[in-house]
Amino acid sequence: MSHIVSIQTEVRDPVAIRSACDRLKLPEPVFGQVKLFSSSATGWAVQLPAWRYPVVADVNTGKLAYDNYNGRWGEQKQLDRFLQGYAVEKAKIEARKKGHSVIEQPLEDGSIKLTVSVGGAA
Amino acid sequence: MSKTIEITVLPNGQTKVETKGFVGAECRHASQFIEKALGQQTDEVLKADFHQSASRQQSVQEEG
């Protein structure tokens, strides 16, 4: 009847990246090669608030490249916020593709709960 | 009981997916599309009623 699965989010969907940026009022993501401090990365670049360099998502691997100099060039919580927004948007996209309805609800601890009704519910 | 998939996205972007109202192993199948889409599974817990309802499902199928 029931099971609980924990998942480490991987950023693999450009559509959901764009939705997460819209949701968080960030500039639109841009695809290309981006220079970080001492390296470069290719993928979808997202500019987080007050981050010196963008975060670059390689949608083939699901990995993020960034250099925030241990928080001095960008707060970790901004990256966490982006990951949360991405996961919420990605889950909603996938649920709707299957024809399921989704209700979103913020929780007191800062989590976001999505309830997906499977079969029948409008 | 209605069938739902509850997805809780923590403030750090990690996600927990929980199924409710499904019969037996059906719940695994039902939520697989979300789990695969979100990323790498790090943990799975089968709730006690997973096994109970699996046997219930069997008896229903036998009757039907």
Side-chain angles (χ1 to χ4, degrees):
Chain A
M1 190 185 244
S2 311
H3 75 308
I4 304 172
V5 173
S6 301
I7 298 161
Q8 183 66 48
T9 302
E10 292 178 342
V11 180
R12 289 181 181 273
D13 181 357
V15 176
I17 294 172
R18 190 173 294 268
S19 298
C21 289
D22 283 350
R23 176 191 182 92
L24 300 170
K25 309 225 176 339
L26 302 175
E28 288 220 337
V30 179
F31 186 84
Q33 188 177 38
V34 175
K35 194 182 177 314
L36 304 177
F37 175 67
S38 59
S39 62
S40 66
T42 301
W44 286 94
V46 173
Q47 186 61 55
L48 298 174
W51 274 52
R52 184 175 294 191
Y53 299 102
V55 171
V56 184
D58 182 338
V59 293
N60 296 312
T61 62
K63 305 292 178 217
L64 297 173
Y66 58 90
D67 188 351
N68 70 339
Y69 196 18
N70 293 324
R72 279 179 246 183
W73 292 346
E75 287 180 313
Q76 177 67 33
K77 74 172 184 189
Q78 295 294 350
L79 179 56
D80 291 346
R81 197 166 150 255
F82 170 73
L83 282 171
Q84 185 187 39
Y86 171 84
V88 167
E89 292 300 321
K90 179 64 175 163
K92 282 161 67 171
I93 288 169
E94 293 302 318
R96 285 175 182 153
K97 267 191 210 166
K98 292 263 182 189
H100 304 323
S101 64
V102 187
I103 296 169
E104 181 178 333
Q105 183 187 357
L107 301 182
E108 278 184 15
D109 68 354
S111 298
I112 296 170
K113 182 173 150 186
L114 300 173
T115 305
V116 178
S117 299
V118 178
Chain B
M1 189 178 178
S2 63
K3 296 174 180 179
T4 57
I5 305 168
E6 284 188 3
I7 303 155
T8 306
V9 187
L10 306 181
N12 68 2
Q14 281 197 348
T15 304
K16 284 189 195 307
V17 178
E18 181 171 0
T19 51
K20 292 185 173 171
F22 292 91
V23 179
E26 185 192 8
C27 65
R28 271 184 169 156
H29 180 69
S31 60
Q32 207 175 31
F33 74 99
I34 292 265
E35 292 157 19
K36 279 192 173 169
L38 286 174
Q40 200 69 41
Q41 183 176 321
T42 57
D43 188 33
E44 181 184 45
V45 178
L46 296 177
K47 291 177 11 189
D49 53 11
F50 179 91
H51 300 287
Q52 286 168 14
S53 52
S55 57
R56 205 180 307 148
Q57 179 191 27
Q58 204 171 15
S59 61
V60 169
Q61 283 173 342
E62 282 165 6
E63 285 165 19

